[in-house]
Amino acid sequence: MAGELTQSVLRRIIRQVGLECAAQGQSVSETLVAFMVKAVVLDPRNDFNMDRTLTENDMQDLIQLCVTRLLDTTNPSLSTIKMQVYFDMNYANRDELLSEQERVLEGKLAPVVRGIAESGPHTQEEMENMYQKIVTYVLLRSGLGSPTDIEAVREVTAALQSIFPQTEMITFISLSKKDKEQQLKDLAMLVTGIRLYNKQCQKGGSCIDDLPGILSEAIPSATRTLDERLNSCQLLAHRYTALLEAMQQDPQNFSQLRFLKLKEALFNVRQYEAFLRILQSNAITSAQEVESLDVQFEAAMMLLKNTVQDKTSIESREVFPLFMELSKLWTGFQDEMLLLSFLTNMADNLQQFLEIQSQLFPEEMLTSLLEGVTVKSDEERIKETMETKVDVSDFTNQEWLFPETTDNFDQLLIQYHGFCAHSIGVKGITLPGNPAIGILKHKEKYYVFSSKEAAYNFAEDPDKFIQLNIEKAKKYAELIQLLELHHQFEYLVPHAQARKASKSSMKPPLKRESGTQTDTHILPPTIVRSYEWNEWELRRKAIKLANLRRMLTHSMQTDLSHMRRENCTQVYLPKDAGTQTKRDNSSNVPKPQIFLKGLRGGSSPTTHMVAVDLTRPLDET
């Protein structure tokens, strides 16, 4: 039947299930319906034959079964599946979340950047408008205030003018688009660093939140909340496990438990616990990151203060790197705020999938059922079996690993999410495995057990118990993700083709077209040109060489050739040279000196004037 579940058929089934659920007042997502189709088909109790063609009646039965299970809100199994689908569709690790946030920020700033980088102002008014756009960009990029906050706009404008006055707008306009975008980012970082420094000096920054102080209070609070919820769900898991073990040991006294969905409730709590542990690990990582950022931020601020002190002017190459370092560290605080908000929302939204526990098993009911039953925690179970180890000599064909003899023992990839590989298929419960007992390596996979007896039983026929676990997962589809068994069921129902979501708890194997090209000759050619396969040709060459031994070489010289020899000459190529044919020169022209004699007259009644020229000749100057 799997081969017949084409994409069109799956779409039809999913669409019909969604319509019928909506008619009953229950809105379900396409991903949830796809998961439920898989769960119904895999469940052996529904008697769907995987080897025959899916008929119209089979399709109607499949639709009705899916609708029935999706409308059964009292079943913990449905809550677990919803929880798994929600987590897979919404959870992202640190790198994915921060990269997505950066992508969203770039998308929001793209119109502003485009308006700045692609405009070419000419008038003074256009220049001022463009400068205001840069102020807006810097404010939005830093995330320290709103463009509608006048005080924040004034601070950004003052800081920007100190490093990028309007007189430099002409130079900025002449840059390429790529250079403009890079300079805008640099300006945003510098302005952010300046504003943070001014806030530290109590000269502004009233609209900047104290992120280090907020994080120092919020992260411990979030961690405590996660710890409380984790302890609460672990207590429920311990109680359910104790009741299931008591029912298996004494079925008569606990016969009333048969009608309760204890196993489904246990799987629900265990899945919730697994997700909480992921969030808790992220919260611890955030706490460590914030602590490191605090130390670096204080050191950078102290270095900047010592550099600036009370100087009226300082070179930009000294302080600009410090301002940018402050901006980078502050961005780290902003990222941690985003991550903390994300983790808090995820934890709050996961809480709704655990509400069914209080409805099915109120505290009074659990207290009465647990009378006379010993409840053991996971830590107590592991502690009880710390001294029991597998005797390797009892097994000839099995490989066992122990902490004291195995390198990187804690990094081994344990199957079934660390639960006992024997108790899942045999008892139908999830008991914590104790690696100290011994880890069985079977077909390059590693298995842990809750007791020495379980380890011995499993090691007798591992394939048998592995198949039991698979059958148990078919009956309880939520175990596929809880026990990390996706690889066991990928080939059964290709329902993932029917949905458009990029992430799901039923991820099919990734496929893509690829091609490879092999060089014709990777190694250099090794063809021996002198090789001959024909022995007669070799014989002919041998005779030729033999004849050469009896040959003599003669030479002679003539009168015309004995004086000839090889000659060579060296020619220097023409080089660039220049001459100066003109020079500047100057000379002093003699000052005319002419004197007139007899202008005053004399004893004679007639005046006789004589002109005396005392000007020096030109050749004497």
Side-chain angles (χ1 to χ4, degrees), residues 57 81-82 115 120 140 194 225 247 256 331 362 377 384 400 407 417 420 422 439 527 532:
N57 291 333
I81 293 175
K82 287 183 177 180
L140 294 174
I194 293 172
T225 302
M247 183 177 65
Q256 71 275 18
T331 302
S377 65
E384 289 177 354
W400 293 89
D407 295 334
H417 202 72
C420 176
H422 178 265
I439 297 181
I527 300 176
E532 289 289 347

Side-chain angles (χ1 to χ4, degrees), residues 362-407:
E363 185 64 27
E364 299 80 6
M365 180 181 179
L366 274 179
T367 303
S368 62
L369 291 174
L370 288 170
E371 291 182 359
V373 178
T374 302
V375 178
K376 298 180 181 179
S377 65
D378 293 346
E379 293 76 12
E380 292 173 345
R381 291 177 183 273
I382 293 176
K383 188 176 181 180
E384 289 177 354
T385 57
M386 285 299 294
E387 302 301 327
T388 59
K389 290 188 178 181
V390 172
D391 189 355
V392 181
S393 61
D394 295 338
F395 303 91
T396 56
N397 299 325
Q398 302 290 356
E399 182 179 357
W400 293 89
L401 305 178
F402 299 94
E404 59 273 9
T405 59
T406 305
D407 295 334

Side-chain angles (χ1 to χ4, degrees), residues 354-494:
L354 207 67
E355 294 176 354
I356 194 172
Q357 301 291 338
S358 59
Q359 300 174 8
L360 293 178
F361 305 101
E363 185 64 27
E364 299 80 6
M365 180 181 179
L366 274 179
T367 303
S368 62
L369 291 174
L370 288 170
E371 291 182 359
V373 178
T374 302
V375 178
K376 298 180 181 179
S377 65
D378 293 346
E379 293 76 12
E380 292 173 345
R381 291 177 183 273
I382 293 176
K383 188 176 181 180
E384 289 177 354
T385 57
M386 285 299 294
E387 302 301 327
T388 59
K389 290 188 178 181
V390 172
D391 189 355
V392 181
S393 61
D394 295 338
F395 303 91
T396 56
N397 299 325
Q398 302 290 356
E399 182 179 357
W400 293 89
L401 305 178
F402 299 94
E404 59 273 9
T405 59
T406 305
D407 295 334
N408 301 323
F409 182 83
D410 297 333
Q411 300 179 7
L412 295 178
L413 183 60
I414 307 299
Q415 298 295 304
Y416 306 129
H417 202 72
F419 292 115
C420 176
H422 178 265
S423 62
I424 295 170
V426 176
K427 299 180 181 180
I429 57 178
T430 51
L431 294 177
N434 185 2
I437 297 175
I439 297 181
L440 175 63
K441 183 179 181 181
H442 177 68
K443 295 182 179 179
E444 302 303 323
K445 296 181 179 179
Y446 304 94
Y447 303 89
V448 292
F449 308 95
S450 59
S451 64
K452 184 178 180 180
E453 294 75 14
Y456 273 70
N457 292 334
F458 186 91
E460 291 178 359
D461 191 356
D463 294 330
K464 169 189 172 183
F465 291 99
I466 291 173
Q467 187 59 36
L468 286 177
N469 296 338
I470 294 176
E471 295 300 325
K472 189 66 66 175
K474 290 181 180 180
K475 188 175 180 180
Y476 302 96
E478 60 268 30
L479 289 178
I480 296 175
Q481 179 162 349
L482 176 60
L483 303 181
E484 300 173 349
L485 296 176
H486 299 96
H487 60 282
Q488 300 283 353
F489 297 94
E490 288 171 344
Y491 61 91
L492 292 177
V493 183

Side-chain angles (χ1 to χ4, degrees), residues 215 218-219 222 286 335-345:
L215 287 170
I219 290 182
S286 292
D335 291 342
E336 295 306 322
M337 284 292 295
L338 173 67
L339 291 167
L340 180 62
S341 176
F342 171 75
L343 295 178
T344 303
N345 291 335

Side-chain angles (χ1 to χ4, degrees), residues 121-133:
H122 300 287
T123 63
Q124 183 64 26
E125 183 179 359
E126 292 176 348
M127 289 279 192
E128 293 177 356
N129 292 336
M130 186 174 178
Y131 196 83
Q132 289 302 319
K133 289 182 180 180

